[in-house]
Amino acid sequence: MQTNRLIGINGGTFDPIHFGHLRPALEVLHALHLDEMRFIPAYQPVHRASPSVSAQQRCEMVRLAIQNQPSFKLDTIELDLGGPSYTATTLEAIKKSEPNASLVLMMGTDAFAKFNQWHDWQGILNLANIVVTHRPGEPVPRDGEVGQIFMNHWVPKLTEASGQIVDLPVTQLDLSATALRSYLKNGDPVDYLMPENVARYIYEHQLYQ
């Protein structure tokens, strides 16, 4: 792959960020030998309801969560762009600022199961490669249109700058931001589910109450 840098793209609402976001990203970073992993908080998610906390607060939580991992970077590009956060638009903007980089978009199996319904999914594959993360032993998508996309683009190892899909078994916590918000609202402890400094920020700013 004749490119300068390999940049991982980990987009999401991060409402709030937790270890279920962080550990798989670290495993992808190392398994695919990426130069960096960018965490890109959505400004206005298109696949779910608007978050209860501001985009700026979600960005600050990401910044706190990743501050001790030098290869993790916060990218506020979707806040800078404003409006609905479409992955294809985001990747296009990153590619303009990083024309020689190869982009690797992280997706879990749940997200990839609806990839054929994403805005301009063909454009996404023109701009980036995709790594589909899954639990060890979990089957990769093979059915329907999504299965066809997966099989048509799957490779054992990334060799091009875009258009390829690999799958990677990762450590996945059975944890959702929805469950975390419920714990926080009910005053239940969130120890060992998210970084301590993020939990502190949430308590100090009385978020998710």
Side-chain angles (χ1 to χ4, degrees), residues 30-41:
H30 286 277
L32 301 185
H33 308 290
L34 305 180
D35 293 295
E36 66 181 53
M37 175 65 74
R38 293 193 188 181
F39 286 74
I40 304 180

Side-chain angles (χ1 to χ4, degrees), residues 45-156:
V46 291
H47 297 293
R48 51 156 286 180
S50 291
S52 60
V53 304
S54 73
Q56 287 76 14
Q57 288 171 319
R58 289 183 288 112
C59 280
E60 182 59 19
M61 288 187 279
V62 170
R63 188 189 68 76
L64 290 168
I66 67 175
Q67 64 184 10
N68 295 325
Q69 177 51 252
S71 299
F72 283 0
K73 312 285 183 190
L74 168 64
D75 191 333
T76 60
I77 189 165
E78 293 194 348
L79 275 72
D80 304 336
L81 290 169
S85 300
Y86 290 109
T87 301
T89 309
T90 302
L91 294 175
E92 205 171 331
I94 294 171
K95 201 71 178 158
K96 276 181 186 165
S97 63
E98 300 270 4
N100 296 318
S102 176
L103 308 180
V104 183
L105 177 65
M106 254 185 86
M107 293 179 74
T109 47
D110 288 354
F112 190 77
K114 299 174 183 172
F115 185 58
N116 61 314
Q117 299 167 30
W118 282 35
H119 170 71
D120 193 16
W121 65 262
Q122 297 95 334
I124 291 172
L125 278 165
N126 285 334
L127 292 160
N129 291 315
I130 293 174
V131 53
V132 178
T133 59
H134 57 88
R135 289 178 177 80
E138 183 183 10
V140 295
R142 295 186 186 278
D143 299 327
E145 189 178 351
V146 162
Q148 201 64 50
I149 295 168
F150 183 88
M151 300 307 290
N152 287 346
H153 294 270
W154 184 85
V155 290

Side-chain angles (χ1 to χ4, degrees), residues 2 29 34 49 72 75 111 116 118 137 144 157 166 176 179 183:
Q2 299 300 309
L29 177 85
L34 305 180
F72 283 0
D75 191 333
N116 61 314
W118 282 35
K157 185 179 177 184
V166 290
S176 71
Y183 294 153

Side-chain angles (χ1 to χ4, degrees), residues 13-46:
T13 323
F14 303 122
D15 183 32
I17 191 163
H18 54 71
F19 288 143
H21 297 125
L22 295 160
R23 180 66 203 185
L26 187 66
E27 293 182 19
V28 167
L29 177 85
H30 286 277
L32 301 185
H33 308 290
L34 305 180
D35 293 295
E36 66 181 53
M37 175 65 74
R38 293 193 188 181
F39 286 74
I40 304 180
Y43 176 66
Q44 189 181 321
V46 291

